[in-house]
Amino acid sequence: MNTPVKRHKGPAPKAANDNSNLRDRLQAARLGWRDIVYGSIGWGAAMAISAQAWLWLSIAALTSHYWSLTALAFVGAAVAWPLSLAAFRFIAFRRGRQAAFAAAFICLTIFTIGVTSVMFAFIYRNFYAQWHGDPFTKLWLIQFTFTTASALYQFAVQGLRLYLPVGVVFLFAASYLLASKHSVPKTRKTGTFV
């Protein structure tokens, strides 16, 4: 007697599995208010301390922009914290602690530098806007583009120093803490003997 074999279509279960995996990742990336508030304050304070340390070590804090640079480092890091934490949780979902450490390190680095440089570019562009042409003209668009590019370049050359050397220590510590609190997936035991 021949019984018909039911064949399972290949792509359908994978697509359903991908959707549930994406849903699980997005659920894991959700942040509570305590994660956002306390983390933002802590990470912002760490980067502000890093900026102050660099200003003291390099130029003995002899600048009229001491507090504005400290505030920029604090606010940039505080705004970057929830973005980097959500990205970390999304990327490190069901990964081991080493992968979680790498994800935390990369996310904190990229988002902190990215957000702070964009804030610096906005402030820089705002200052030079008084000499720019009328808004939304061709001249204004050219001035806007080059002023923003100049600000990002200036931050890359001079602003990144605010994170050295103390910021790197804070970065390693924060990445380690995030990775150590990260839940590691349990390995499944198979019923086979070796």
Side-chain angles (χ1 to χ4, degrees):
M1 188 189 298
N2 290 338
T3 57
V5 178
K6 292 184 180 179
R7 299 202 176 196
H8 196 62
K9 294 181 180 179
K14 187 176 181 186
N17 191 19
D18 287 346
N19 286 340
S20 67
N21 189 25
L22 179 62
R23 194 175 313 116
D24 292 342
R25 280 180 178 268
L26 291 172
Q27 183 69 21
R30 289 182 60 198
L31 304 175
W33 69 270
R34 289 182 182 169
D35 293 334
I36 295 171
V37 173
Y38 297 145
S40 294
I41 292 170
W43 187 241
M47 294 301 102
I49 290 168
S50 173
Q52 288 182 344
W54 184 84
L55 290 169
W56 277 101
L57 291 172
S58 62
I59 57 172
L62 296 175
T63 177
S64 60
H65 301 292
Y66 179 80
W67 290 110
S68 58
L69 289 172
T70 301
L72 176 68
F74 176 84
V75 174
V79 171
W81 175 261
L83 301 171
S84 57
L85 184 60
F88 156 72
R89 288 181 177 176
F90 184 84
I91 293 168
F93 181 68
R94 292 187 181 156
R95 303 276 187 245
R97 286 214 167 90
Q98 291 174 338
F101 177 84
F105 192 90
I106 290 170
C107 289
L108 284 171
T109 301
I110 290 173
F111 281 102
T112 302
I113 291 171
V115 169
T116 308
S117 65
V118 167
M119 292 177 108
F120 176 76
F122 182 75
I123 294 166
Y124 189 93
R125 168 36 202 116
N126 227 14
F127 175 76
Y128 285 103
Q130 58 189 329
W131 295 290
H132 285 188
D134 293 330
F136 306 109
T137 60
K138 185 177 179 181
L139 176 64
W140 178 85
L141 185 60
I142 292 169
Q143 291 169 333
F144 177 83
T145 302
F146 282 98
T147 303
T148 304
S150 298
L152 294 174
Y153 174 76
Q154 186 173 347
F155 185 83
V157 172
Q158 296 177 337
L160 290 180
R161 291 185 267 179
L162 296 173
Y163 302 114
L164 299 173
V166 178
V168 176
V169 174
F170 285 134
L171 177 62
F172 273 99
S175 299
Y176 178 78
L177 286 173
L178 287 174
S180 65
K181 290 183 179 183
H182 178 68
S183 60
V184 179
K186 300 199 181 207
T187 57
R188 293 183 183 176
K189 293 182 180 179
T190 59
T192 59
F193 293 100
V194 180

